[in-house]
Amino acid sequence: MKYGLKQLRKDFPNDKACLQFAFDALHSRECSCGGKYRLVEGRKQFYCSKCRFQIAPLSGTIFEKSSTPLTLWWHALWIFSNAKSGISAKELERQLAVTYKTAWRILSQIRKALKQDGKLSGDVEMDTAYFGGRYKSGKYNEKQKEAIAAKSVVMGAIERGGKARLMIVPDSTATFLQK
Ligand SMILES: [Zn+2]
């Protein structure tokens, strides 16, 4: 079933609910010290009940430094993900009942965030590794081929000093990896 606006409003009735969702997406509610993270009332910050460590779940996200309510951001994300052929700032302005400037800013932030999740850039290094598959290759490695075939090939690509991507691939031949 489609995730409707009614459901969105029900799941995220206020900014507190959005904030909790953002926190849960990135952190565990349990602190490594054994304490539990709680929202600092009236702030966009969580603190550990035991060691008092603080976490700002929105820092480093597109919601950071925005004065737009999170419920409105969530609504914008909902509209964006439902617009099959894209959406204009003008249309977002109308649907969210915000100024054109706000709509434009929200839209460009969403687009920027999605782009960041796309292709790796700069110097990207790649390698493959074999994982799992218990199969004895024999005393003289005579069954090496079978043993390797029983394993999964995992390909990794990493931006030098940056983001990494991992995926399971059918084989590690150069022709496939190049593709
Ligand atoms: Zn703690």
Side-chain angles (χ1 to χ4, degrees), residues 42-56:
R43 294 190 59 195
K44 294 169 182 172
Q45 196 112 4
F46 286 71
Y47 75 100
C48 170
S49 56
K50 233 169 127 184
C51 73
R52 304 275 150 186
F53 188 77
Q54 299 222 352
I55 292 176

Side-chain angles (χ1 to χ4, degrees), residues 54-92:
Q54 299 222 352
I55 292 176
L58 302 185
S59 82
T61 72
I62 57 172
F63 316 114
E64 189 184 14
K65 290 175 196 157
S66 168
S67 55
T68 303
L70 289 175
T71 46
L72 214 60
W73 272 104
W74 261 232
H75 192 167
L77 286 162
W78 179 84
I79 293 169
F80 186 89
S81 56
N82 278 298
K84 284 195 193 86
S85 46
I87 187 158
S88 66
K90 198 80 201 143
E91 179 65 16
L92 203 62

